[in-house]
Amino acid sequence: MLEIKNVSKVYNPEKSKAVHALKSINLKLRAGELVGILGKSGSGKSTLLNIIAGLDKPSEGEVKIDDINLESCTDREMADTRKDKIGFIFQDFQLMDHLTVTENVELGLAMEDIDRREKRRRCELVLTKVGLKEHLEHKPSELSGGQKQRVAVARALVKQPDIIVADEPTGALDTKTTDEIVNLLKEIAGAGKLVIVVTHDEDFKKHATRVVELKDGAVIEDSVRKSTTFDIQNSNEDRTEQGKQKTPRTFDINAAFKLSFKRLLEKKWRYFLVSISMIIGICSLSLAFGISSGIKSYTEYAKERVIDSKKLTFTQEGQMKSKDYFAIRENKKVNLIQDEYTLDSKIVTSRGQVDYKTKSIIQDEYKGEYTTPEIVHGNLPKDGENEIAFSEDLAKKIAGEKSIDGLIGQEIVTKFLAKDPLKNYPSRWDEQKLKIVGITKKSLVGDDYAYTSYEKQKEIVRRSRFISKGEDIPTNSYSVYLKDSKFIGDIDSKFGSKYIIVKPSDLLKDLTQMFKNYNILVLSGAALILFISALMIGIILFISVLERQREIGLFIAIGGTRADIKKIFITEGILLGGFASGAGVLISILGLAIINPITMKSMGYGLYMPTATTLLGALIFGVTISLISSLMPANSASKLLPIDLLRRN
């Protein structure tokens, strides 16, 4: 079943001092043999074992396992051969400290397409056979040296291979434990397996059915000891094992994630510190996405309830004349033109003075056609009435500890100042007694507003500026109400050369640009932080590769391909990114309790609006970054030579 033909191995053949590790080795080994390969250090026995196992390649000659020429195998075919036909037992056990005994043995089936329950059943069965039934959930650190070696034997046996190769399996054990392991190897050979043991222990000769002794890379003895040859057992179970069909290859992705998760738990503080930067970056990214969504929502809200989509403001440097009024008013697309004013205002309450701005609202007959302040309590002031409506924030300042509902119907004395921006006419504070009829929602960032009727506002302006009732109020601005918002472009084209025209879209431009600039700043910071975190994840995974080189070698030995090795480190990166991104997203959700109260106070609108889409997008982005960061370390790990990996401490 195993044929070695003219195998030679030369290290550094291009150099003058080439090392001839093996010289024309020829062997034919059969099932049921317990073969001892003996020799002093440097005799070539470990090199021969590695070539038999496909971990190293001969310089000349060939190795065949059941007519499979290992020399002609691709990486995938060689991995399949190790998966299906070869089981490894190592001198230093090669157990994963963070896995239980059962989980360590399950690694032997990591490449097999077998149901999880069946894997667990097989592992428990083989562990019972090797005398570890009571230690299934123990960690390697809780076992003796002999018990650890039994776990290594169980891991080699669980996939029911045809060949068991053992490299100094008793080298680190005491005499009693050595005898136990040797007897176990005898049983395995007796069950019909080819067991090949590399050892420097001369006492092993009395147990082996065949002894191959090497010296300076050549075979000096190949003796079959028939007196100790084992009979191949033919129990039903053993026949089942010998007739085992090759199972499809699959490195269970769940197993990869499980290994990576346990690795993260083992090094939790290291990975936590590394992930802090990603948590901050993803949190910033989620905040930026949520605020961007909020800006868009606020813009739509303002267009519907605050900014009149059919209103334009015409302004010029000098005073508007009658001809300006009529030129604009005569246009058939214009419905209404008004000179509107904003007044400085103040109220003295028992708690102190409250300062605010007062605006006029459109005349009653147009209220249903154009945007008016949104009422929370009461109603808007009516034409010809001494009435006023306050925004919620203003109402709270006036009401103090009392409910703002109680202000409705009360009369209040307030003072108004209408400054003349054109000619600096003298002005005075005009005192008015007005009835509070309504409470409105806060409408824009900045000042709090109160509202009076259009005619009442003009009356106050005249009184404040000492202008008689029939006299025009000097102004450089008109509010122009169009019949339809679709006429904005036409009006702008017609009058834009003579007047400065402020369109509805212009009113939110500065505000939204401010938030966009803030968002760009946050996104830039997030990008920088995420770039740094990507580097840190890459570095920590490179360190992980260095720390786990023997583990990588083990995976190759049990049948793993380069692609399987990549999966281990890629899943580790994905898990790290997933946990960090998830934490960042959760922290960003807490922003609802911090950001929105601030924006509600300043602009009456919760500006942070994270959605499932934006949060999921931030999460996926973080995981993707971690995935990309893990590719180079994973690729580096997959290119390491197994023969070097298994030698390293």
Side-chain angles (χ1 to χ4, degrees):
M1 73 185 300
L2 173 62
E3 184 177 5
I4 302 168
K5 296 176 64 177
N6 298 318
V7 166
S8 297
K9 180 66 178 179
V10 181
Y11 291 105
N12 304 319
E14 71 283 355
K15 295 185 178 180
S16 58
K17 293 184 179 180
V19 178
H20 294 267
L22 295 176
K23 303 171 184 177
S24 299
I25 305 294
N26 289 277
L27 293 170
K28 286 186 179 181
L29 308 178
R30 305 186 312 276
E33 289 188 314
L34 176 57
V35 181
I37 300 179
L38 284 79
K40 296 180 180 179
S41 297
S43 62
K45 56 186 186 298
S46 293
T47 301
L48 178 59
L49 188 71
N50 290 327
I51 289 175
I52 290 172
L55 299 177
D56 201 358
K57 291 186 177 182
S59 303
E60 295 179 9
E62 60 184 24
V63 177
K64 287 185 177 181
I65 298 177
D66 293 338
D67 296 325
I68 298 173
N69 189 341
L70 302 189
E71 272 296 286
S72 60
C73 287
T74 63
D75 177 63
R76 177 63 174 267
E77 291 169 342
M78 189 65 252
D80 283 339
T81 300
R82 286 194 291 264
K83 175 178 76 74
D84 297 318
K85 295 183 176 295
I86 303 172
F88 284 82
I89 303 172
F90 301 96
Q91 177 181 356
D92 52 0
F93 322 129
Q94 296 288 356
L95 302 180
M96 307 298 172
D97 292 333
H98 54 282
L99 301 181
T100 65
V101 166
T102 304
E103 289 168 341
N104 267 285
V105 175
E106 280 183 339
L107 289 178
L109 298 173
M111 315 302 165
E112 303 278 358
D113 187 11
I114 303 173
D115 177 77
R116 173 187 277 181
R117 291 183 179 179
E118 176 61 16
K119 284 184 179 181
R120 180 54 63 102
R121 187 193 70 80
R122 289 192 188 182
C123 291
E124 291 179 358
L125 179 63
V126 74
L127 282 167
T128 300
K129 281 184 178 182
V130 299
L132 293 175
K133 184 178 181 179
E134 306 301 322
H135 302 280
L136 300 180
E137 300 305 319
H138 287 187
K139 295 288 183 68
S141 59
E142 300 170 324
L143 304 179
S144 66
Q147 289 170 330
K148 290 179 182 179
Q149 192 60 283
R150 287 175 181 271
V151 177
V153 171
R155 184 179 58 205
L157 287 176
V158 73
K159 59 181 180 176
Q160 302 173 358
D162 299 319
I163 303 171
I164 300 291
V165 293
D167 188 4
E168 298 282 4
T170 61
L173 305 178
D174 57 39
T175 303
K176 181 176 179 297
T177 308
T178 294
D179 291 339
E180 293 174 354
I181 296 300
V182 169
N183 289 332
L184 186 56
L185 294 174
K186 286 181 180 180
E187 292 178 18
I188 296 169
K193 307 294 184 185
L194 169 58
V195 180
I196 304 172
V197 179
V198 165
T199 180
H200 62 275
D201 185 2
E202 292 291 327
D203 289 340
F204 189 78
K205 288 182 179 181
K206 64 185 179 183
H207 302 289
T209 64
R210 183 171 181 175
V211 174
V212 176
E213 189 168 354
L214 301 179
K215 183 178 181 181
D216 297 331
V219 176
I220 60 172
E221 179 186 349
D222 180 9
S223 59
V224 177
R225 308 201 169 195
K226 294 184 179 180
S227 59
T228 55
T229 301
F230 303 117
D231 294 326
I232 297 178
Q233 306 293 321
N234 286 309
S235 66
N236 290 333
E237 182 180 339
D238 295 327
R239 284 199 299 269
T240 300
E241 290 189 14
Q242 291 183 47
K244 178 175 75 82
Q245 297 295 316
K246 181 179 178 180
T247 57
R249 163 175 292 278
T250 175
F251 179 46
D252 188 352
I253 196 67
N254 291 328
F257 273 111
K258 187 175 182 180
L259 286 171
S260 297
F261 179 70
K262 287 183 174 288
R263 172 70 178 179
L264 261 59
L265 287 180
E266 182 189 17
K267 305 289 185 180
K268 53 184 176 294
W269 291 114
R270 173 199 291 181
Y271 286 113
F272 171 72
L273 293 174
V274 169
S275 64
I276 287 176
S277 60
M278 174 159 281
I279 292 172
I280 295 171
I282 292 299
C283 179
S284 301
L285 194 67
S286 298
L287 290 173
F289 286 162
I291 291 173
S292 179
S293 178
I295 292 171
K296 184 178 180 181
S297 176
Y298 178 73
T299 302
E300 295 301 319
Y301 165 81
K303 285 180 180 177
E304 291 179 8
R305 302 184 182 184
V306 180
I307 306 299
D308 200 318
S309 63
K310 294 184 283 186
K311 178 183 176 182
L312 301 175
T313 301
F314 281 55
T315 306
Q316 65 179 21
E317 289 187 8
Q319 181 177 336
M320 291 283 194
K321 306 292 185 181
S322 296
K323 63 178 182 178
D324 296 306
Y325 176 88
F326 288 110
I328 300 169
R329 184 68 187 84
E330 287 173 358
N331 191 288
K332 294 181 180 181
K333 296 172 182 176
V334 174
N335 199 24
L336 175 68
I337 179 170
Q338 294 186 154
D339 50 336
E340 298 174 356
Y341 307 91
T342 299
L343 307 177
D344 291 331
S345 314
K346 61 183 178 181
I347 296 172
V348 178
T349 69
S350 59
R351 287 167 303 283
Q353 180 172 294
V354 179
D355 297 309
Y356 59 96
K357 301 284 187 181
T358 302
K359 285 186 171 186
S360 63
I361 55 174
I362 201 163
Q363 299 165 45
D364 287 349
E365 65 176 297
Y366 297 104
K367 281 180 181 176
E369 190 173 351
Y370 298 101
T371 299
T372 53
E374 188 174 352
I375 284 290
V376 179
H377 304 290
N379 53 264
L380 291 172
K382 296 182 178 63
D383 292 348
E385 302 293 335
N386 291 331
E387 297 175 342
I388 192 168
F390 289 103
S391 70
E392 284 182 295
D393 285 355
L394 271 176
K396 290 174 183 177
K397 291 178 181 178
I398 296 169
E401 300 296 326
K402 298 178 182 179
S403 171
I404 59 175
D405 296 357
L407 294 176
I408 304 297
Q410 289 188 21
E411 288 191 334
I412 193 165
V413 176
T414 183
K415 293 183 177 181
F416 302 97
L417 181 65
K419 297 178 181 178
D420 182 358
L422 291 172
K423 298 182 179 179
N424 294 317
Y425 281 167
S427 57
R428 64 181 174 86
W429 288 97
D430 181 58
E431 188 174 290
Q432 295 278 329
K433 180 182 277 189
L434 301 173
K435 183 180 180 181
I436 302 174
V437 295
I439 308 295
T440 68
K441 277 193 174 182
K442 185 175 178 65
S443 57
L444 287 171
V445 172
D447 297 319
D448 292 315
Y449 288 99
Y451 300 93
T452 62
S453 67
Y454 171 66
E455 290 300 332
K456 186 65 182 177
Q457 193 88 333
K458 291 191 72 170
E459 176 191 330
I460 294 170
V461 172
R462 286 192 175 95
R463 288 167 58 89
S464 181
R465 294 188 187 175
F466 306 99
I467 300 172
S468 62
K469 188 173 182 179
E471 190 177 347
D472 288 335
I473 301 173
T475 183
N476 66 340
S477 176
Y478 283 134
S479 295
V480 179
Y481 294 85
L482 306 182
K483 293 180 178 179
D484 197 295
S485 59
K486 67 182 181 181
F487 299 139
I488 289 176
D490 296 338
I491 296 297
D492 187 40
S493 298
K494 183 173 180 61
F495 296 101
S497 60
K498 185 174 182 180
Y499 304 100
I500 299 170
I501 300 177
V502 179
K503 300 182 285 295
S505 59
D506 298 330
L507 295 175
L508 287 173
K509 187 179 294 183
D510 291 342
L511 175 64
T512 54
Q513 188 59 50
M514 178 185 73
F515 285 119
K516 285 179 180 177
N517 290 340
Y518 167 78
N519 240 21
I520 290 171
L521 183 63
V522 173
L523 281 171
S524 299
L528 178 60
I529 293 170
L530 288 172
F531 175 74
I532 294 171
S533 66
L535 289 178
M536 292 178 68
I537 289 172
I539 291 169
I540 206 68
L541 288 177
F542 268 117
I543 293 173
S544 182
V545 170
L546 294 175
E547 290 179 339
R548 301 167 69 184
Q549 289 190 352
R550 295 183 74 91
E551 181 181 334
I552 298 167
L554 170 63
F555 269 92
I556 295 173
I558 62 177
T561 63
R562 296 184 186 279
D564 295 330
I565 300 303
K566 286 182 181 179
K567 286 179 187 176
I568 295 172
F569 290 93
I570 288 174
T571 54
E572 190 170 319
I574 290 173
L575 277 178
L576 179 58
F579 287 135
S581 300
V585 166
L586 288 175
I587 293 172
S588 72
I589 293 174
L590 298 178
L592 288 167
I594 301 172
I595 298 173
N596 283 350
I598 296 173
T599 58
M600 283 293 295
K601 186 175 181 181
S602 63
M603 59 191 296
Y605 198 85
L607 200 61
Y608 178 48
M609 291 187 176
T611 64
T613 302
T614 59
L615 295 175
L616 182 61
L619 181 64
I620 291 173
F621 188 77
V623 173
T624 302
I625 286 177
S626 296
L627 172 61
I628 294 171
S629 299
S630 69
L631 291 179
M632 284 185 65
N635 190 55
S636 174
S638 70
K639 291 181 178 179
L640 295 172
L641 297 175
I643 186 63
D644 294 330
L645 295 171
L646 293 169
R647 287 174 178 164
R648 295 178 188 271
N649 293 318

